[in-house]
Amino acid sequence: SQNLKNYERAIWHDDILKLELESRKVPIKKSIEESRLLIYNDLTSTLFLETISSNIPSILFLENYKKYIHKKYKTFFLQLEKAGIVYDSPLKLSKFINNNFKELEKWWNSKSVQKTRESFCYNFSHISKKPIRDLSNTINNIAKPVYRT
């Protein structure tokens, strides 16, 4: 929608850097394939979960996210933050990118980042090797017969 487009432009607008925002007319798959690093500022879509599950270097920038994440899930996000995958400060994010841009692959493929990514994905965006069987089991568990007396 137009509101979302304006919101994103406002977040990324910078008169000094003069960032060029990609048009939404570019197919998302093409955009992802041509990128070294994907930065998200929203968790309401599944794209972050899809790319992190596909092991594509992805960073999540969420100001004040700790206020909005349920306490039950904060540990996962703190682990992502420690690994450099989640940022709540634009300055910290900028510093990270400036210091690591030449070696993003080394950072992303490091043991600690991969271990954190795998743990997060297992809990929030697990890709099943047998999706039909898993879906069937889920449906069967949900739809257990109800007996009336």
Side-chain angles (χ1 to χ4, degrees), residues 31-144:
S31 180
I32 290 170
E33 289 170 352
E34 293 177 355
S35 300
R36 290 184 59 219
L37 176 65
L38 300 167
I39 302 172
Y40 299 93
N41 62 341
D42 186 9
L43 253 182
T44 59
S45 81
T46 61
L47 200 50
F48 172 73
L49 297 174
E50 290 174 45
T51 58
I52 198 171
S53 293
S54 298
N55 205 12
I56 296 169
S58 305
I59 286 179
L60 189 57
F61 169 62
L62 295 171
E63 284 187 299
N64 303 314
Y65 80 87
K66 292 172 185 129
K67 287 199 288 188
Y68 307 106
I69 301 295
H70 190 283
K71 64 182 179 181
K72 166 171 142 176
Y73 304 117
K74 277 190 181 172
T75 302
F76 291 102
F77 282 84
L78 291 172
Q79 289 171 346
L80 290 174
E81 190 173 335
K82 185 177 177 186
I85 297 172
V86 168
Y87 288 86
D88 62 357
S89 158
L91 293 175
K92 288 179 186 176
L93 174 57
S94 173
K95 186 176 180 180
F96 173 82
I97 292 171
N98 289 330
N99 291 337
N100 294 286
F101 195 74
K102 291 181 181 176
E103 296 190 342
L104 284 173
E105 293 78 15
K106 182 178 179 182
W107 157 74
W108 185 256
N109 292 310
S110 70
K111 223 178 220 184
S112 62
V113 169
Q114 286 298 306
K115 183 177 177 185
T116 301
R117 182 193 69 78
E118 289 166 5
S119 171
F120 181 81
C121 290
Y122 179 80
N123 287 282
F124 297 100
S125 61
H126 181 71
I127 297 174
S128 174
K129 291 182 174 146
K130 297 183 178 181
I132 303 298
R133 183 204 63 200
D134 291 346
L135 178 61
S136 174
N137 288 342
T138 300
I139 291 170
N140 286 333
N141 285 334
I142 291 170
K144 291 201 187 250

